């Protein structure tokens, strides 16, 4: 709670003392010059008189104490009011009190007995005047702190170096009542180069007439010394620093006083913040401290703003490169698919038309060519799918369909490959589960999974496909497809890497099993785009189970 201040002629005075005659003498002298006076004959009365919630405004407390013990007792009672340290206290006590005890009590004014009424009045007025001055300084200080807080908030609310600098020089100029303020930064990797000025009339002013070869050493020295340069009067040789460039600049700009604060980060400075006034001015420690605080926030904001700007530029460059990559991949895929489709088509015609007429060796060679052409075609399709997924260009045609019908179709398609590898491929009698999704994409998902299971299962093994559902609050909630094989399995430490593009298990590579390492990456992208989950469980040498969980409703 701040103590209210009132004019001296109206400020109430509380007189506390045990001796009625001395108390009456003091009260009479004060009333004679217009002070409202209240009396306290004991500690309880003083506490009640000065209670913080009392409606009266407080002025001065006069304590009449003949000894150290009395002074201690009365000051203790005053402390109970919560106003000790905020009310001016005039202490009247005996001459035998040691000076160090008086210093401990720290009264606003101190008088020795016997009481001199005229001197008491003078001391009361002096205490009130000092209290009023302190209150005024507190108000000004709080106003400056409030304004500098707003400046710091403006810094934190922007990443634009120019906007931050403009807010600071205009805000500080207005907060401290100066006519000019400037900011100069030397461009390096930490901050952009700037030179901004502000004048009291709000018009953008020129930067200070200080050459860069003088600004840099001055900023470096202030930063190294962790100090500021406060000049009360540039025209007074006793107050101005021995810096010819600074004196010349102040003379050209018409400055009488300056406050110069370095801007920096880390080991070196990168600029200056300069406040200038047309009149002499004594810069208080509080003012320099507030400007240093703002300068620190500005320096941090400029560095962060530069980093964010650089990050945005890098991000935009990466996006440009990514777009160029996707366009390149799409173009290359198109250029490869067109001739490859013709090659596959003519190969199929030759193989079909030459049935029984081609030499056996030639027929076998053509089948190898056709098989590898189809593999190359599938690889192109996989790369194109991944490129579209990166660019979020995969379009979905959502419909409601029976998932078990899709699984039957995929299993039927993969049956010849399973038979050729002497594998048992079966679809456990699935329950009908209808889902909402892109039929073609989900068919690709299960084709890739079942194809991998067939490819990585040795002769005599089995691949089992099953479909189940789970119920939610409103009926069937999720569908779960599991593909379990008795294949070579996957090393435990490699399972988390399966979704990485082009990754292939070490045992698959060692066994020279063909593949690109794109199948599960594509599957995961498509499953996630359907709002589902892909789970892999595997034991090396025993087999792998891949589960796909899909929401029934999109």
């Amino acid at each position: 709670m701040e103590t209210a201040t009132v004019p001296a002629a109206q400020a109430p005075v509380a007189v506390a003392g045990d001796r009625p005659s001395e108390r009456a003498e003091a009260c009479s002298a004060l009333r004679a010059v217009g002070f409202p006076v209240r009396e306290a004959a004991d500690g309880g009365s003083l506490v009640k008189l000065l209670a913080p919630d009392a409606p009266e405004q407080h002025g001065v407390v006069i304590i009449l104490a003949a000894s150290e013990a009395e002074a201690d007792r009365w000051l203790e009672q005053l402390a109970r009011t919560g106003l000790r340290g905020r009310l001016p206290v005039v202490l009247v006590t005996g001459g035998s009190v040691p000076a160090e005890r008086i210093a401990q009590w720290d009264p606003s004014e101190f008088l020795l007995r016997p009481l001199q009424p005229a001197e008491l009045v003078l001391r009361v007025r002096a205490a009130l005047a000092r209290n009023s001055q302190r209150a005024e300084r507190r108000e000004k200080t709080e106003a400056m702190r409030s304004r500098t807080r707003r400046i710091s908030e403006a810094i934190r609310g922007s990443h634009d170096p120019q906007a931050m600098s403009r807010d600071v020089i205009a805000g500080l100029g207005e907060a401290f009542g100066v006519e000019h303020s400037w900011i100069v930064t030397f461009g390096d990797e930490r901050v952009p180069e700037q030179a901004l000025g502000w004048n009291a009339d709000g018009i953008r002013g020129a930067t200070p007439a200080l050459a860069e070869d003088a600004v840099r050493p001055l900023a470096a020295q202030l930063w190294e010394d962790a100090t500021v340069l406060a000049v009360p009067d540039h025209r007074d040789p006793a107050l101005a620093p021995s810096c010819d460039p600074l004196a010349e600049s102040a003379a050209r700009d018409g400055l009488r006083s300056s406050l110069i604060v370095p801007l920096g980060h880390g080991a070196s400075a990168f600029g200056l913040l300069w406040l200038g006034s047309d009149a002499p001015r004594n810069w208080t420690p509080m003012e320099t401290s507030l400007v240093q605080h703002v300068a620190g926030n500005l320096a941090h904001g400029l560095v962060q703003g530069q980093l964010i700007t650089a990050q945005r530029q890098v991000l935009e460059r990466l996006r440009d490169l990514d777009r160029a990559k996707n366009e390149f991949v799409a173009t290359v895929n198109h250029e490869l698919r067109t001739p490859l489709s013709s090659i596959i088509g003519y190969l199929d015609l030759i193989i079909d038309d030459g049935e029984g007429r081609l030499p056996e060796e030639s027929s076998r060679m053509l089948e190898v060519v056709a098989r590898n052409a189809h593999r190359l075609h599938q690889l192109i399709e996989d790369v194109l799918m991944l490129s579209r997924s990166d660019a979020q260009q995969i379009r979905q045609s959502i419909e409601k369909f029976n998932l078990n019908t899709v699984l039957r179709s995929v299993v039927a398609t993969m049956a010849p490959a399973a038979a050729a590898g002497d594998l048992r491929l079966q679809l456990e009698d699935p329950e009908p589960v209808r889902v909402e999704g892109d039929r073609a994409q989900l068919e690709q998902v299960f084709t890739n999974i079942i194809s991998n299971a067939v490819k990585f299962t040795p002769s005599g093994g089995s691949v089992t496909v099953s479909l189940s559902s789970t119920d939610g609050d409103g009926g069937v909630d999720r569908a779960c497809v599991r593909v379990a094989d008795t294949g070579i399995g996957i090393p435990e430490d490699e399972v988390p890497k399966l979704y990485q593009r082009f990754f292939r298990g070490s045992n698959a590579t060692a066994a020279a099993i063909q593949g690109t390492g794109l199948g599960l990456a594509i599957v995961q992208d498509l499953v996630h785009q359907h709002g589902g989950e892909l789970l892999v469980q595997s034991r090396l040498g025993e087999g792998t189970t891949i589960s796909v969980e899909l929401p029934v409703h999109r």
Side-chain angles (χ1 to χ4, degrees), residues 98-267:
E100 57 269 18
R101 289 292 288 132
I102 298 173
Q104 290 175 358
W105 291 328
D106 190 26
S108 304
E109 295 288 340
F110 177 74
L111 286 83
L112 293 175
R113 302 177 71 212
L115 181 65
Q116 300 293 327
E119 185 179 2
L120 178 63
V121 171
L122 290 175
R123 295 299 181 91
V124 167
R125 286 174 172 164
L128 283 170
R130 278 199 300 274
N131 195 51
S132 178
Q133 291 170 357
R134 282 196 297 268
E136 186 176 348
R137 286 196 298 269
R138 283 196 299 268
E139 289 176 4
K140 289 182 178 179
T141 300
E142 185 53 39
M144 284 188 179
R145 285 176 177 163
S146 177
R147 290 176 178 177
T148 52
R149 279 195 296 268
R150 288 197 293 271
I151 296 170
S152 296
E153 289 169 2
I155 294 172
R156 291 190 291 270
S158 174
H159 297 305
D160 180 358
Q162 289 270 336
M164 283 188 278
S165 298
R166 284 195 299 267
D167 287 338
V168 167
I169 58 178
L172 287 178
E174 293 170 354
F176 287 85
V178 296
E179 290 78 23
H180 316 280
S181 61
W182 300 279
I183 179 173
V184 179
T185 59
F186 334 120
D188 60 18
E189 70 280 359
R190 295 172 296 174
V191 297
E193 185 174 358
Q194 291 189 93
L196 297 174
W198 173 90
N199 287 333
D201 56 8
I203 300 175
R204 305 303 301 174
T207 56
L210 188 60
E212 184 175 338
D213 58 356
V215 172
R216 285 180 179 271
L218 178 59
Q221 188 61 53
L222 292 176
W223 183 258
E224 183 179 346
D225 295 341
T227 188
V228 303
L229 179 58
V231 183
D233 191 348
H234 285 285
R235 299 180 188 177
D236 188 340
L239 300 177
S242 56
C243 177
D244 292 338
L246 180 62
E248 294 170 2
S249 173
R252 283 195 296 269
D253 290 322
L255 301 181
R256 290 295 299 275
S257 61
S258 295
L259 179 62
I260 302 175
V261 181
L263 296 172
H265 185 267

